[in-house]
Amino acid sequence: MLPFAISPRRFSQPMFFQPNISLSEWLHERDWASHWWFPVACLYAAIMVPLSLGALLYQINIPALAQPGAHAQHLLSGFTLALITGYLCGKTSRWQLLGLLTAWATARIAPLSGSPDWLGTGAQTVFACSLLWLLLPRFARAKRWSNLMLVPLLGLLAILAVASNWLIAQHNGWYWQRHLGSQMLLLLALLMMFMGGRSLAPAITTAHQKRGIEIQARLQPGLEGWLIATIGCAALLGHWLPAPAGLLLVVAGFLCLTRLWRWQVRALLGHAFISGMLIGYLWLAVGLIACGLALICQWGWQTSVHMISTGALGTLSCCIMLRSLAQRLKHSTDWGLLAFPCLMITLAACARVGADLLENRILLLWIAAICWSLAYLWLAWKWSGIWCARPDSNRRPTA
């Protein structure tokens, strides 16, 4: 039996179907956003990649997917914003979660169903504005400038998500892929660097302390500040000033590698969560260097971005979602939980990069899509138990 398989003995009562409570009371109760958004994000990611690949290669009659950059737009504007909602919203009233989910689903389904363009763009605008209304006041109270950086970063990501919906609706996917998609990916890389470091630093410090070792380089705020500056400036310069932007990305990639080296992670490779996050962080560092060289040389950009969008985003998101699931079920995050999705995402990233460099491109594209989908279908299955049950309150976390 796989770890964390849903067993009735582990749960006490249903989480969503509660007797002796009115609908109004149920809607006003607060619930973890991750319980709603992580399963939805997993299913969306698993379905959209093979569907968009089929639309591009075999002319499936879905105009919104059969144009350049459509799959990137759906993943960056749909999947990543769903992850951000689940990760950052925390406990939120259920009526707000339902409203966000309705707007998000409408924005995703409308372009695929041939609905009027204004419906998808309007729903995306409502979703983005509602998400910012929930998140920005929380981060605006921060005292450190590095935390305050999340306010404009989340705002820019939301604005670009709305703009991308409009561009794809106007069948101008090439412009999205060439300009706004690149900016959105680099801003997402900045968010992954920030959030990944904030998750890794305390986990690495705790693991070292359990071994009786005190490390001096923990969060490394100075290095983090330089990373914010270099990636942020590169995202703003983008393809308009490719050589300076590329140089900044190369510097940022080596700064990420320096941060990893200063964490002294060699002795912690047996720790499942830390190792999984390190794989994702390494994909991010290598992807930043590759993207920087691609901008400088004006070659290989589409290959390089998949190191970030597939390797880094896929691995980091799987680790974060599985750790959240482990905390919900009050278990440790072990290799039995992380090994399969991390392996599938690694295979997907390698196959997608190899598709641009090797022969048998179509075969490698399908291998990448299938491995990606298998990883997120597995995650969605693991999260499915959260929708119908809650853990027994007597259990205690083991790590």
Side-chain angles (χ1 to χ4, degrees):
M1 186 176 184
L2 288 172
F4 289 38
I6 305 304
S7 170
R9 293 175 304 200
R10 294 189 178 182
F11 302 100
S12 56
Q13 69 182 65
M15 186 177 84
F16 289 103
F17 305 102
Q18 301 176 14
N20 303 323
I21 184 173
S22 68
L23 178 61
S24 176
E25 292 175 328
W26 184 87
L27 287 173
H28 283 83
E29 283 187 352
R30 298 169 67 84
D31 201 358
W32 290 104
S34 59
H35 299 169
W36 295 61
W37 283 95
F38 284 171
V40 171
C42 290
L43 288 174
Y44 184 74
I47 293 170
M48 286 306 301
V49 170
L51 186 62
S52 60
L53 182 60
L56 281 171
L57 296 179
Y58 304 111
Q59 301 300 313
I60 297 175
N61 189 24
I62 308 177
L65 291 179
Q67 54 178 311
H71 75 289
Q73 185 267 340
H74 281 280
L75 285 179
L76 291 177
S77 299
F79 173 60
T80 58
L81 285 186
L83 288 177
I84 290 170
T85 306
Y87 187 58
L88 295 181
C89 280
K91 272 200 167 182
T92 309
S93 61
R94 288 184 178 133
W95 70 268
Q96 290 176 319
L97 292 173
L98 280 172
L100 284 171
L101 190 58
T102 302
W104 178 88
T106 303
R108 308 278 72 79
I109 295 172
L112 304 179
S113 61
S115 302
D117 295 341
W118 60 265
L119 181 61
T121 304
Q124 183 70 33
T125 304
V126 170
F127 170 72
C129 293
S130 301
L131 181 60
L132 293 179
W133 175 71
L134 283 174
L135 291 181
L136 293 192
R138 305 180 185 184
F139 296 110
R141 293 192 291 267
K143 296 181 179 179
R144 293 185 177 180
W145 73 270
S146 57
N147 295 331
L148 282 171
M149 175 272 304
L150 287 173
V151 175
L153 177 58
L154 293 173
L156 284 172
L157 284 171
I159 291 171
L160 289 176
V162 174
S164 70
N165 258 60
W166 182 81
L167 284 173
I168 295 296
Q170 301 303 313
H171 302 285
N172 199 353
W174 180 89
Y175 185 88
W176 146 256
Q177 186 178 34
R178 181 68 178 172
H179 296 288
L180 294 188
S182 302
Q183 266 60 48
M184 193 170 185
L185 180 74
L186 293 178
L187 291 174
L188 181 62
L190 175 55
L191 184 64
M192 286 191 287
M193 181 281 301
F194 184 83
M195 292 299 181
R198 295 302 173 97
S199 298
L200 265 172
I204 289 172
T205 302
T206 302
H208 276 305
Q209 287 174 346
K210 288 181 178 180
R211 301 175 66 249
I213 299 174
E214 287 290 337
I215 61 169
Q216 299 300 320
R218 298 185 179 186
L219 185 59
Q220 306 177 52
L223 200 57
E224 182 184 69
W226 280 108
L227 281 165
I228 292 172
T230 51
I231 302 176
C233 291
L236 294 177
L237 294 175
H239 284 272
W240 289 278
L241 292 172
L247 181 61
L248 288 171
L249 288 178
V250 171
V251 172
F254 280 106
L255 287 175
C256 283
L257 293 176
T258 303
R259 195 181 196 189
L260 289 175
W261 177 75
R262 295 184 67 192
W263 272 328
Q264 304 174 28
V265 296
R266 185 183 304 175
L268 304 178
L269 296 182
H271 191 290
F273 173 72
I274 293 176
S275 297
M277 291 290 290
L278 288 176
I279 293 171
Y281 216 77
L282 188 60
W283 271 114
L284 179 62
V286 175
L288 289 172
I289 295 172
C291 287
L293 294 175
L295 285 177
I296 294 172
C297 301
Q298 292 293 291
W299 180 86
W301 172 258
Q302 293 304 320
T303 303
S304 303
V305 296
H306 286 93
M307 297 181 184
I308 298 176
S309 62
T310 306
L313 176 61
T315 309
L316 292 174
S317 64
C318 285
C319 291
I320 291 296
M321 285 191 283
L322 286 172
R323 187 182 67 164
S324 179
L325 177 64
Q327 291 172 342
R328 175 72 175 114
L329 298 180
K330 303 185 185 299
H331 282 271
S332 61
T333 311
D334 56 22
W335 276 117
L337 192 64
L338 281 171
F340 180 77
C342 286
L343 176 61
M344 289 296 102
I345 293 296
T346 301
L347 290 175
C350 292
R352 181 57 190 87
V353 172
D356 291 338
L357 305 175
L358 305 173
E359 297 179 355
N360 299 319
R361 174 180 170 81
I362 303 301
L363 175 61
L364 288 172
L365 287 175
W366 275 113
I367 290 174
I370 291 170
C371 289
W372 173 277
S373 295
L374 286 175
Y376 283 102
L377 284 174
W378 193 87
L379 278 168
W381 173 63
K382 288 299 183 183
W383 271 98
S384 63
I386 297 296
W387 286 79
C388 60
R390 71 180 186 185
D392 186 2
S393 59
N394 294 325
R395 293 184 64 89
R396 293 291 183 266
T398 58

